[in-house]
Amino acid sequence: MTDILSRLSAALEDRYTLEHQLGEGGMATVYLAEDLKHKRKVALKVLKPELAAVVGAERFLAEIETTANLQHPHILPLHDSGEADSFLFYVMPYIEGETLGDRLARERQLPVDEAVKIAVAVAGALDYAHRKGVIHRDIKPGNILMQDGQPVVADFGIALAVGAAGGARLTETGLSVGTPYYMSPEQATGDQVIGPSSDVYALASVLYEMLVGEPPFPGATAQAVLGKIIAGEKVSATQHRASIPLHVDAAIRRALEKLPADRFTTAEEFAKALEDPAFAHGPALRVAAAAAPGPWKALAAVFAAATVVLGGLLLSSAMGPDAPERISRFAVGLPEGHVGALYPGETVTISPTGDAFVYTGPSERRAIPQLWIRQRTQLEPRPMAGTEEAYDPSFSPDGQSVAYLTQSEIRTASLGGEPPVTLATSGAWGAGLTWADDGYIYVFDAESAGIGRVPDSGGEVEAWTTLDEDTDESFHFWPEALPDGAGILFIVAHGGLSTTSAWDIAVADPATGEHKVLADGTYAVYSQTGHLVYLSTEGTLLAAPFDLETRELTGPAVALFEGVAISAQSVGLDVAPDGTLVYWSGEAGGGPGASLVWVDRDGTVTKVDPSWTFDAGAPEVGVELSPDGTRAAIKITTDAGEDIWVKELDDGPLSRLTFDPTFDRRPRWSKDGTGILFTSDRGESTDLWKRPANGTGPPELVLDFEQAINEVQQTPDEEWWILRLGGISGGTNQRDLVAMRRGDSIPTPLVAEPYDEKGMALSPDGRWLAYESTETGRDEVYVRPFPDVNSGKWQVSSEGGHNPRWSKDGTELFFVSAGGDMTAVDIAFDNGFRVRGTQPLFSTTERILFAQVNYAGWDVNPDGSRFLMVQTAPPADVSAIVVVENFSEELKAKVGR
């Protein structure tokens, strides 16, 4: 037994028994081991010592966690990882059988149909992982295990963990991640920004080898192989094997293109091309986009038949210092479904050089956004891997990364497709983000309601601006950085967020955070020409001279043009330092505010009281019907703050129930309808309070824990509290469900797994607890018996779901699907718990009905025939993204200095 094996065996003797070495690769040595706890054979892989020395234990183990939750039938899961006697190791299942590499060594070539089938299966695994933000980086036959005839990809994300942890030090030490025969050109040249297209390139190389018998670029040495790859020589599998279908050869050729932008955007596209006999790829189908003189002109030329050229101006200019002074406007073609209503927040950002923009667009789950990037070298936008649930994108000062918000975190994503990195916790999605050149990222700070900031290396969000109480400021949001650390522009709201006419544009001093109001407006950015460019409530774009040193307007504003999309929830506008403007064109949204509506099961919407609108506030709404269905408890935002109000249905009076200046949210009626429970942060944390529904008597503190109480349910006999404790909206492993008998002081865990459990709903008879959990990687709805929650568990939704609510008779369970559809589940209790059928009823997104994750801000009427919901103010209606080249010339001509 070698010294390494002896040391490992001693260090791991309480967990694994090492038997013998199975093999050795470029990054790790593999040992067969016995998992002592689970009595199973495993493959224990030990990182090469020289690689471990460069990477470092702490960073490697932190990065490898990214892959631990990948669950796919064609991905070998990660069981364990750790450090033992200075060795870094990770553990995967031991698969008896051979690798694809073993089979190719024996047979050399595979039948065409079988080779394509293997490639399609692996592509499915890659596409799944890419959507989770994980890039493999080392796809090769030796990493594809054959289990019962099906391919299983091993070491998924290990190369990513090594590369992310080691960074540039790998290059400095001469180490590399990947296998030469299957490296993409960008890997071969040592590019640290590796995206999904690199994995697609590698898979195409493997498929080529399965069909031809050798990789596409063979060579006697690694240097020879990499030289051919970098040169980008054209290959064709049909030249070596005539039986290969033309469409398969075409798919391989496209996947092996030298430029990532010329390959398939996703692994799924590659798989579809392999199965599509009509697919073709060749010189006759290519569009020579690079030949156009301007970086965006090629895009407009390709989409000329499908896009609208605004202003009657032709594309004739190029970006950069040598560009002519002619101004060009054009709409950029976007995929179907990317226009319509804007997602919340700042929805478009342009790179500092003006050669790319990133926007908030739809993910596979329609109601959930993700980031898309459109580069000047691309004909179509592509999704940025791992950015589902992303809002408020902002380019880094160097243009290599994009910062954004999720519902709980501040993250950054590189343009090359590396997994996003979390910098801080923040529940301020939709309220804006900007990446300044002073080393900070500025966001809305939920605690102070002003602008906060966090170092762009990560840390805690600190309050930076302070609300001016003398002028009734209620929020600071949508920050935009001035250059050279000169300060931050942002919007000041007076009263509720829905009243855009009461918004002002302000600027903060970079040293103190103290601010002053500049003008009335709804959004503002700075142009390097020395102008403040901003929007009116109606979507008119204005500009005024602005002195960067004094942070003062030095001249009157001039209206430039109309048609920029803006609403109380969304905006889309940015100006690059090179003078390029990008914006969403369309109609301004907003309107008088939110409405309380009835929605029939067929989707018919009827306003409860047509004469009444209100500010539902951010980031959520709160509505619940009284037990008899005659009244509604509603959370409403006014100048006085967020409070609970009671509305007599339908057109009866509206009365205020709470009066504290802090946040009162999430109303729940007592079982007899005489009182209303609500959460409030009027104490040291968010606690549970109660007040009689008729408004008599003071509010009563009901429950006070160290952790925040964010949801509450009671059993019909009111003997049990069911509570959701802790967490920030969208957080990971932060929220749990607990239970406590009346009279007890300490809650006990109810559903407290290493995921997020929230959005709970107890059946009317108190026997069944529905809730949403992220245990599959996204929100799904589950049901368990109560109080013995461990005696059964049923997953009710199958493709994403949230907001469970029971019908009053308990025979139906309703939830909102990931795509935004209100869904009815028919339940039977004749043999425990059984789902008899599921039926989508209507789209909440199409009707602008509030139904976000984490908490059901809607209710079902007593007979189950309709729903009481909040219809938000109409969003901005957008038709296209417009790029204006040399916009700086327009500012100089129309506004002056």
Side-chain angles (χ1 to χ4, degrees), residues 702-738:
V702 179
L703 293 176
D704 179 6
F705 298 143
E706 183 177 343
Q707 281 185 284
I709 302 173
N710 288 312
E711 289 187 63
V712 60
Q713 290 271 289
Q714 281 185 288
T715 54
D717 58 8
E718 299 190 346
E719 285 301 309
W720 283 91
W721 295 107
I722 303 174
L723 308 166
R724 191 259 283 178
L725 300 183
I728 298 174
S729 178
T732 301
N733 194 18
Q734 296 179 343
R735 294 169 292 188
D736 296 312
L737 306 185
V738 301

Side-chain angles (χ1 to χ4, degrees), residues 497-566:
L497 287 174
S498 296
T499 311
T500 56
S501 59
W503 290 3
D504 292 321
I505 297 166
V507 62
D509 184 292
T512 65
E514 295 180 357
H515 68 279
K516 56 186 176 184
V517 172
L518 298 173
D520 297 337
T522 56
Y523 191 67
V525 293
Y526 176 77
S527 169
Q528 294 281 16
T529 53
H531 295 92
L532 186 74
V533 180
Y534 63 101
L535 286 168
S536 71
T537 303
E538 297 78 20
T540 299
L541 190 68
L542 304 101
F546 182 75
D547 188 295
L548 200 60
E549 292 186 3
T550 64
R551 294 182 294 280
E552 295 278 359
L553 294 175
T554 58
V558 174
L560 302 177
F561 55 83
E562 299 178 348
V564 180
I566 180 74

